[in-house]
Amino acid sequence: MASETVVLKVAMSCGGCSGAVKRVLTKMEGVESFDIDMEQQKVTVKGNVKPEDVFQTVSKTGKKTAFWEAEATLAPEATPAADAAPAPEAAPAADAAPAPEATPANTVA
């Protein structure tokens, strides 16, 4: 079996939670290394393992577990680019607005 990297999103709220995940991964056969990021709720496992086996092992801790890729697809990265597009369109409209304001001022004088 080739070396594989498995990334999971695991609900961990304290050191005990991450400790439980650490214990099961330390005992799991084929695991070469792992990283637990409490802040991002992210567990990265490297080794000669199957993703489904890692998922099942971590799930046994009782913590809500999901594959990281599934979570990443819920937050589309295209949205900021779409938000940036209207800003340049708004700028020409703002440039056009001062010209009509100047015309009434000349008419009144």
Side-chain angles (χ1 to χ4, degrees), residues 40-96:
Q40 291 187 351
Q41 306 280 296
K42 186 176 187 178
V43 177
T44 306
V45 181
K46 295 180 183 181
N48 295 320
V49 293
K50 294 180 184 174
E52 190 59 36
D53 291 347
V54 176
F55 178 87
Q56 291 298 325
T57 298
V58 173
S59 293
K60 288 178 184 176
T61 63
K63 309 298 168 210
K64 183 178 176 186
T65 306
F67 285 104
W68 190 263
E69 293 79 13
E71 294 292 325
T73 58
L74 296 177
E77 294 178 356
T79 305
D83 291 342
E89 293 173 15
D95 292 342

Side-chain angles (χ1 to χ4, degrees), residues 22-40:
K22 181 179 179 179
R23 276 190 300 281
V24 297
L25 291 176
T26 301
K27 295 176 185 177
M28 186 174 177
E29 198 172 314
V31 173
E32 295 168 2
S33 66
F34 60 86
D35 178 63
I36 299 173
D37 184 335
M38 284 273 296
E39 188 174 309
Q40 291 187 351

